[in-house]
Each structure stands twice: as C-alpha cells, then as structure tokens.
Amino acid sequence: MTTFLRLHSCGAPRLRPALLGRGLRPRAGCWAPGPAPLRAYAPGSGGLPAALLRTDSFVGGRWLPAAAAFPVLDPASGAELGRVADCGAPEARAAVRAAYDAFCGWRGVSAKERSSFLRKWYDLMIQNKEDLAKIITAESGKPLKEAQGEILYSALFLEWFSEEARRVYGDIICTPSKEKRALVLKQPLGVAAVITPWNFPSAMITRKVGAALAAGCTVVVKPAEDTPFSALALAELAHQAGVPPGVYNVVPCSRKKAKDVGEALCTDPLVSKISFTGSTATGKVLLRHAADSVKRVSMELGGHAPFIVFDSANVDQAVAGAMASKFRNSGQTCVCSNRFLVQRGIHDAFVKKFAEAIKADLRVGNGFEERTTQGPLINGKAVEKVEKHVSDALSKGATLVIGGKRHQLGNNFFEPTLLSNVTRDMLCSREETFGPLAPVIKFDTEEEALAIANATDVGLAGYFYSQDPAQIWRVAEQLEVGMVGVNEGLISSVECPFGGVKQSGLGREGSKYGIDEYLEVKYVCFGGL
C-alpha cells in the first residue's frame, strides 16, 4: 500500500482535535489506520468555525499534510481564508489505494449498517448546519441564507440515500428450463472518484457520495480548488459519524495541479467509477482518460437553460419564477436560466415587471450581510465573462434595461443585469454566462420558441410558463433537456432525478435512480436443480 513519507506541514496551527467518532471495527486486511491528531486552521476575526476548518487531505481516516499548500481566498474581499494541502498525482493514487483497501470491508457491511452511518452523518450536518453554512459563504461568496439552504439540501441527500441503501433489490427471472433458476444481483462497483465544482461545494458532494456509500462503494473526492474547506468539513463530520477509515477520502489541490490529479483518478486501474460535475469541456477530457480502462462514468456538465414565457402565461408568476431561477447564487448555477424567450404579446409587460423586481428585490453585498441577496462572483475570470457577454450584446444592438457593469463594491461584484432586444447571434444567446445576466429574446410562435430553445448542443434544464394545457404537454415533451420546470423556476429536489441530455451529461443523480450509478448488475444462472 502506498503511503506518505516525511511530508512537510502546511503551516497551519494545531488546535484541539475534535472528538473521534465511533464506528465499525476494521476487518483484518482491509482497514488499518489508527487515530491521528486532527489539524485545523484558525481564521482569526472571521468568526468561522475552527473545529471544522481542516487544511490537510483526509486519506484512510487520517489528516495528512502535503509538501506544499495553496491559498483559499474570500471572493468578496480577496482575503486569504487559509492554506490547504496541495495534493498531486502521488497523493491522489495513495487515496485511491486507501479507498480500494477499505472497499473489501465496506462492501460486506450490511445495508442497514451503511444506512446507520449515513444517518449519523446527516444528523451531524444538521447539528452543525450554521457553521457549515458560514464556511460555504466564506469560500464561495453566496449569501448566508442561500448557504444555509444548501446545507439542508446537502444533508437531505445523506438522509435520502441512508433510506435507499436498504432498498437495493434484485430479481428472479422465470426461465423455460425446469432445472434452472435465473437471479439478478446488484453489487457495488468499487472505488468511485468524485470530482466536484465550487458553486455548490457541499451539495455536489453529498449527492454523489451519499449514493456511492449507500451502494457499498468507497470514494475519493477532489473538491474544486476555490472551495476545499466544505469537503474537508464534511470529512471531519463523516469521521465523527464513525464512517470507517478509507471509505470517504478527500484530496484537495490547487488549480495548477488539478489536471494531473484528475488524470490520475481517471486512469488509476483501482478506480471503477468516475462522477464529475463541471464544464462540458473538462468532462470530455475526463471521458477520454476514463475510456482507456472503460470505467463507468456519470457526468453533469454545462447547461444553457431556456426560460420561455408564452402569451397565455401569468406574468407575475413568470417574473417570480425568473427571479428565482436566474439570480440564485448570483446566476452561478448549472440549471439557472440563461436565455429568456418571451412571446411578443406579453414581452413588454414581462420586461417591465422583471426590471421592477430586480430593482426592488435584489441587493448586492457581502454574503454575511443580512440583507444581501447577491454575493460576489467566484473570481475575476467569472466577472470578465459577464462583462464580455454584456459588451458583445450591446455592440450588436441589445438594449440595456438595468445593470450592465461591475458593482461599486468592486472586486468580484457585478450588477444584476437585464437586456432586451437580444438576438440569437449574440454570445449570451449561444454560451452559458454563469453570472447575473438576463438576456430577453422576443419570439412570435411556439414553433419558433422551441427551435431557439433546442438549437444548442447541451440540454440540462428548461423552463416555460403557460396556462394552455395542450401547449404545456407539447412543449414539455419537445424541449430537449433532462429536466423541465412548468410554471416553476426551482426544480431541484433530492427525491427527483437530476441530469441532462446531449452534451449536458450522462446518468442521473439523486432520486431512486441515483444509487444505480454505483451498482453493477450481475446475472446468476443456477442450474442442476
């Protein structure tokens, strides 16, 4: 088994270790770690929970430093929150080995016991929900109320899959032969490499890891370089919940090392499954790496969600849905509306009320301020992309209704922006913006709206507002997306399948279908009866 030898400290001060959780006793030959001192970063006057702010990687039940560390910055102020272990390919492979060694025991743990571990982890998340939310706001910038909502959403995945763990059923198939019986078994795949984004640094982990652990798989998580503290806080709570060593591992790394770590995880022969949420371009790279060893892959990739408002729609409901869908997390969600298609008869009324709602209801500020609804974008590159889309649209004839520039707070803040007279040749009509920009395109017929909505190589989510029952059926069936919101701007739920079509990904997460992504179907023919 690969080990870490003489690695240097990241420089974080040692604080009093948290209480260790109680769990299963290791089976011989499978789990072999002992208790290790936990290390945490003290953020000074930031008010963040030192007990949950870990700086080292978490591998085989131990907190392990790396030879180097990278800074994690507050996107609101640019201040350094702390320095985290900068793992490379060797550390990633060591984490895979630890997960593989743990798998031989974890797969044999009863579904009821796995359910119990996940439920304890859920309980600890709920107990620590305020502290976990503060970590999300500090490292991602999202408003604290939204961060609190994410933690509840995240914890619910652990609760959901703690229940689904006991509902992995096989089949008995009737065959023509009296001397044979056919059985279908479902068994865990093995080690799953989980690569997650920064915009939902907790929920994107629990949605994947909850399903994997419920199925009997072990995991290695590579969190986004902008938001590693959330993944490490979850590791601390998993440890306290008694999740056995090696079952949940975290290898943070800087942007510089992300490519090498991702390649190591995707090509390691001990990894059986890749789960990734992120851009379509990165997903294609990981797919190529996974292809050489034909690994199971599930991916939730980029979107370009249309939001269609038909003449029959209730304008006030449509505006409320547009506000919820577009400006949650400052427009930095994979399912947020990216193009607003509004039918000519209702267009002017919708744009007017949309602008009024933006002015009245949105407040840009630091995520820790109580009135804030719009925090900063994650970094300067994100702001530059929004600026580029706005500038391109205005240069091609779009009308600026509200916003349009960096906010006076500076740094990574951008004004919520509404554009009208947008055309299909503009960048914001062709690319995912991932920011607080709402471009409105006017259309005449249902057929035209569907043609515009479907004229893209991605298809994650789509929304439309209509009071015509026949139209609702037609459009819901013809939109080329994996998820549809009808007269509703918020569609995510742990009980429902999440995923896209076309180049928006493979597989589904959450729901009763999510656990299938981590199970292999085995056919057993029992003869000689």
Side-chain angles (χ1 to χ4, degrees):
M1 175 178 176
T2 306
T3 57
F4 296 108
L5 298 178
R6 290 190 286 274
L7 295 178
H8 298 291
S9 169
C10 294
R14 293 186 179 273
L15 300 181
R16 184 176 63 182
L19 294 177
L20 299 179
R22 296 182 177 88
L24 291 178
R25 291 183 179 276
R27 297 189 181 197
C30 296
W31 300 312
L38 304 182
R39 290 154 41 86
Y41 170 75
S45 61
L48 297 180
L52 293 178
L53 277 178
R54 301 299 176 184
T55 60
D56 296 335
S57 65
F58 186 70
V59 175
R62 292 179 179 273
W63 296 98
L64 300 174
F70 68 97
V72 179
L73 305 180
D74 173 3
S77 66
E80 184 175 301
L81 296 171
R83 300 182 71 81
V84 173
D86 193 5
C87 298
E91 289 88 349
R93 286 190 287 268
V96 169
R97 183 72 218 190
Y100 183 78
D101 290 343
F103 175 63
C104 68
W106 183 245
R107 69 185 302 179
V109 172
S110 71
K112 183 176 180 179
E113 289 178 280
R114 293 200 298 270
S115 173
S116 178
F117 283 121
L118 288 170
R119 179 68 198 204
K120 290 177 184 175
W121 197 2
Y122 160 81
D123 290 338
L124 285 167
M125 284 196 70
I126 296 300
Q127 292 170 24
N128 291 273
K129 61 182 184 295
E130 297 301 326
D131 286 342
L132 292 169
K134 289 177 182 178
I135 292 174
I136 288 178
T137 295
E139 64 181 353
S140 77
K142 71 171 57 176
L144 186 58
K145 289 182 179 178
E146 286 193 23
Q148 291 166 343
E150 179 182 343
I151 290 302
L152 178 59
Y153 182 53
S154 305
L156 287 174
F157 280 112
L158 298 182
E159 181 189 46
W160 173 264
F161 285 114
S162 74
E163 296 163 350
E164 288 298 292
R166 303 180 67 181
R167 292 168 178 80
V168 176
Y169 302 131
D171 293 295
I172 297 178
I173 301 172
C174 293
T175 66
S177 173
K178 294 181 180 180
E179 292 78 28
K180 297 178 182 179
R181 298 291 185 272
L183 295 82
V184 174
L185 309 178
K186 292 185 178 180
Q187 297 179 318
L189 284 168
V191 177
V194 171
I195 303 174
T196 58
W198 52 263
N199 59 337
F200 286 88
S202 179
M204 295 302 95
I205 291 175
T206 58
R207 190 162 72 186
K208 300 170 187 293
V209 172
L213 268 57
C217 295
T218 56
V219 298
V220 176
V221 176
K222 192 213 82 68
E225 55 272 12
D226 294 298
T227 56
F229 282 125
S230 289
L232 296 169
L234 288 176
E236 167 61 19
L237 294 181
H239 188 64
Q240 292 182 26
V243 173
V247 172
Y248 177 76
N249 306 275
V250 182
V251 283
C253 70
S254 63
R255 184 172 283 105
K256 182 179 180 181
K257 293 185 179 179
K259 180 180 178 181
D260 290 341
V261 170
E263 182 175 351
L265 292 175
C266 289
T267 58
D268 195 305
L270 299 182
V271 173
S272 299
K273 158 82 179 183
I274 305 294
S275 180
F276 170 72
T277 296
S279 72
T280 299
T282 301
K284 290 178 179 179
V285 173
L286 298 180
L287 270 173
R288 284 193 287 270
H289 289 318
D292 285 341
S293 51
V294 196
K295 298 185 191 302
R296 281 275 292 275
V297 174
S298 59
M299 293 189 170
E300 188 255 288
L301 307 176
H304 192 30
F307 188 106
I308 307 172
V309 186
F310 291 102
D311 281 344
S312 67
N314 179 307
V315 177
D316 292 332
Q317 288 182 357
V319 168
M323 292 288 289
S325 174
K326 174 71 257 183
F327 294 109
R328 184 166 58 106
N329 197 21
S330 300
Q332 299 174 113
T333 80
C334 50
V335 293
C336 81
S337 299
N338 207 65
R339 302 166 288 159
F340 290 83
L341 315 180
V342 185
Q343 200 159 10
R344 185 174 298 275
I346 207 173
H347 174 274
D348 292 349
F350 176 84
V351 171
K352 180 175 182 293
K353 290 191 174 185
F354 198 7
E356 291 171 350
I358 292 172
K359 291 179 182 178
D361 299 340
L362 301 184
R363 182 181 183 277
V364 178
N366 187 295
F368 284 107
E369 296 174 3
E370 186 175 353
R371 293 180 56 215
T372 294
T373 65
Q374 305 290 286
L377 301 191
I378 189 65
N379 53 40
K381 186 177 180 181
V383 178
E384 290 170 5
K385 185 175 184 180
V386 180
E387 284 182 321
K388 180 180 178 181
H389 280 199
V390 172
S391 175
D392 172 81
L394 294 177
S395 71
K396 295 176 180 176
T399 299
L400 179 63
V401 180
I402 188 172
K405 62 183 184 300
R406 294 192 188 221
H407 193 272
Q408 61 186 8
L409 289 174
N411 295 321
N412 298 326
F413 294 92
F414 200 90
E415 296 177 341
T417 300
L418 177 61
L419 300 176
S420 63
N421 295 320
V422 172
T423 56
R424 296 174 64 180
D425 63 323
M426 298 174 184
L427 283 177
C428 59
S429 298
R430 296 186 284 112
E431 298 177 358
E432 184 178 29
T433 303
F434 230 65
L437 168 61
V440 179
I441 302 171
K442 187 185 296 184
F443 72 89
D444 291 301
T445 66
E446 177 184 313
E447 292 75 19
E448 181 186 1
L450 284 167
I452 296 172
N454 291 335
T456 175
D457 58 6
V458 293
L460 189 57
Y463 310 84
F464 69 92
Y465 277 70
S466 170
Q467 299 297 316
D468 182 341
Q471 183 177 62
I472 287 173
W473 278 110
R474 289 194 304 270
V475 176
E477 291 179 350
Q478 293 180 53
L479 274 178
E480 296 173 357
V481 296
M483 298 171 286
V484 180
V486 182
N487 297 325
E488 178 56 60
L490 297 176
I491 58 175
S492 299
S493 172
V494 299
E495 296 85 359
C496 302
F498 193 102
V501 299
K502 299 182 180 178
Q503 294 187 33
S504 280
L506 304 165
R508 292 297 181 268
E509 294 184 334
S511 78
K512 69 175 184 179
Y513 305 103
I515 199 169
D516 290 339
E517 300 291 340
Y518 299 89
L519 293 167
E520 198 73 82
V521 174
K522 177 184 287 185
Y523 158 51
V524 178
C525 182
F526 193 172
L529 301 179

